[in-house]
Amino acid sequence: MTARAAAEGAPQARALADMTILDLTQVMAGPYCTMVLADLGADVIKVENPDSGDQTRQSWGRPEAGRDSRGFMALNRNKRSVTVDLKSPEGLARLHRLVRDADVVVENFRPGVTARLGVDYPTLSALNPQLIYASISGFGQDGPYSTRPGYDLIAQAMGGVMSITGEPGGRPVKCGLPLGDLGAGLFTAIGILSAWNWRRRTGEGQYLEASLFESVLALSVWESVEYWSTGKVPEPLGSAHRMSAPYQALATRDGHITVGANNERLWRRMCSALGMDGLADDPRFASNMDRLDHIPELVAVLEERLADADTDTWVETLLDAGVPAGPIQDYRQILDSDPHVRARGMVTSFEHPLDGTVPVIASPIRLTTTPATVHRHPPMLGEHTDEVFGS
């Protein structure tokens, strides 16, 4: 039985149902972190300013007054929203009251702001010594860059991603996905779960932090290895791999195919499937290192052959031969018609009181007994203030 099938037949137990999180974050890294935990059952109370709330409520063209953007909805399902003016004594007192019963606080203010507001870790942990407090920032809470504003673009630039992304000789390009934001969100979620486990064992709360810059750097596994091993500064390779070839996108008659013939066995299978058995023994391509040294020639030879048929034909041919291969899909193909996405339930939806049925990408985490679920629509601003504080 697959994890998905078991989850569908199981009661909707939630792994983190006994975790209460006060979410003081906005935009992407923090909300993504808390949404991951909310999908797993944590009670996430989103604390927002009364005037406008999370600024992404108005991103991507807010439809009309009183409605929220789809960008906000994509990052804030399964949460409750309360409005609190942290700059007023009454609002701060209300938050402090919540902290006494909370398990986790997550914030992404610029370093120094929480102390000025009275919501920093020393202040809140004095109210609740078992509190787990997580900070997300652009560059970390100390160090020479700590006071700089933190944006994914800047993190990708300074963390190396833009130096190795794109085609050789081209303009600097960022990764299409916001690696800094999403990476920091995921690393923070891992940190919270680790601190949660430690607290269960010892009763001790603790402080943790993650940053966009360091998250990008931590993901630079092959690039750091290349530099330390060879002394050469890694450069853009397009879709190619730093350690294996052919492992990249190649042009076909009607588009592109991706292939992963990243060892000798797969390389020979690929040559055979393409009807080019002799290519495997060409001195330029006889070993992986030879192929890496002659990537332009390798690509030219392979694409000359691949131009004889379309992408779908080559994907089927290579897969039948046991060679990893796949087409490059756009998001219309993925979200509307990909049969695997449909079979795996990776597109789901929630019912919103104003917008009706809204599609979202489901959690990729599969648990048999306590599945991650979409069980609550993204909250409207202050929707749960009375519920949480009492009317």
Side-chain angles (χ1 to χ4, degrees):
M1 178 182 291
T2 66
R4 179 173 178 271
E8 287 177 344
Q12 295 299 296
R14 294 172 183 159
L16 301 180
D18 53 347
M19 178 187 286
T20 299
I21 300 173
L22 300 183
D23 180 0
L24 277 61
T25 71
Q26 59 176 327
V27 188
M28 177 165 277
Y32 189 73
C33 166
T34 55
M35 185 181 74
V36 169
L37 301 175
D39 286 352
L40 294 170
D43 179 17
V44 176
I45 301 172
K46 189 172 180 68
V47 180
E48 302 183 74
N49 74 74
D51 296 329
S52 58
D54 187 326
Q55 64 182 269
T56 57
R57 287 185 181 273
Q58 301 179 51
S59 68
W60 284 46
R62 189 170 183 167
E64 60 186 77
R67 291 181 179 245
D68 296 315
S69 75
R70 292 298 176 90
F72 173 83
M73 292 186 187
L75 291 162
N76 289 283
R77 65 187 182 224
N78 295 336
K79 304 177 186 180
R80 298 190 286 169
S81 170
V82 300
T83 53
V84 177
D85 181 2
L86 295 178
K87 295 181 180 179
S88 74
E90 298 79 13
L92 187 60
R94 295 190 99 187
L95 180 73
H96 286 179
R97 197 172 83 204
L98 291 181
V99 167
R100 290 184 173 89
D101 295 319
D103 301 298
V104 181
V105 167
V106 186
E107 61 87 12
N108 65 346
F109 293 103
R110 192 179 297 191
V113 172
T114 56
R116 293 199 297 272
L117 291 174
V119 296
D120 55 316
Y121 177 65
T123 300
L124 300 190
S125 63
L127 301 174
N128 179 356
Q130 291 191 318
L131 185 68
I132 297 166
Y133 188 111
S135 295
I136 303 174
S137 62
F139 294 92
Q141 299 298 306
D142 53 35
Y145 301 157
S146 61
T147 59
R148 294 188 182 189
Y151 288 90
D152 178 80
L153 173 66
I154 311 302
Q156 288 200 35
M158 296 182 67
V161 173
M162 291 181 66
S163 75
I164 52 91
T165 303
E167 294 294 333
R171 291 169 60 93
V173 178
K174 72 178 180 67
C175 174
L177 296 175
L179 283 184
D181 280 321
L182 299 179
L186 290 172
F187 282 127
T188 303
I190 293 169
I192 289 170
L193 294 174
S194 299
W196 176 252
N197 186 57
W198 176 255
R199 196 184 85 166
R200 284 178 174 272
R201 291 161 53 193
T202 67
E204 298 175 4
Q206 63 179 299
Y207 177 81
L208 67 102
E209 62 154 315
S211 75
L212 277 64
F213 174 73
E214 290 163 341
S215 295
V216 164
L217 185 58
L219 296 172
S220 303
V221 178
W222 292 136
E223 292 69 31
S224 60
V225 167
E226 179 180 7
Y227 175 68
W228 283 324
S229 298
T230 68
K232 296 179 181 178
V233 175
E235 297 179 349
L237 296 175
S239 63
H241 197 275
R242 300 193 177 279
M243 295 188 174
S244 304
Y247 189 95
Q248 65 184 95
L250 297 166
T252 66
R253 183 167 61 193
D254 67 342
H256 290 82
I257 185 175
T258 56
V259 296
N262 58 344
N263 60 46
E264 298 309 313
R265 175 175 53 85
L266 291 174
W267 165 240
R268 290 186 173 275
R269 284 185 181 179
M270 180 177 178
C271 291
S272 178
L274 296 178
M276 306 174 72
D277 291 281
L279 192 63
D281 297 317
D282 186 312
R284 296 172 298 172
F285 314 132
S287 71
N288 183 61
M289 289 307 300
D290 293 326
R291 295 190 290 277
L292 285 171
D293 288 340
H294 298 89
I295 284 182
E297 300 99 307
L298 177 63
V299 169
V301 171
L302 292 175
E303 289 189 338
E304 183 178 5
R305 174 67 176 117
L306 291 169
D308 293 339
D310 60 26
T311 298
D312 289 343
T313 298
W314 285 125
V315 168
E316 184 177 356
T317 298
L318 290 171
L319 289 178
D320 286 345
V323 179
I328 296 175
Q329 300 191 118
D330 63 32
Y331 282 98
R332 183 187 301 277
Q333 293 170 304
I334 298 164
L335 300 177
D336 289 353
S337 59
D338 187 289
H340 191 75
V341 170
R342 188 180 303 113
R344 294 284 290 174
M346 277 304 296
V347 172
T348 185
S349 63
F350 56 78
E351 294 299 318
H352 191 272
L354 296 180
D355 288 74
T357 302
V358 178
V360 289
I361 295 176
S363 172
I365 302 171
R366 307 296 173 117
L367 296 168
T368 56
T369 304
T370 56
T373 61
V374 177
H375 48 270
R376 186 193 291 270
H377 68 263
M380 292 179 285
L381 181 61
E383 180 179 350
H384 304 95
T385 301
D386 290 345
E387 178 181 299
V388 171
F389 288 109
S391 55

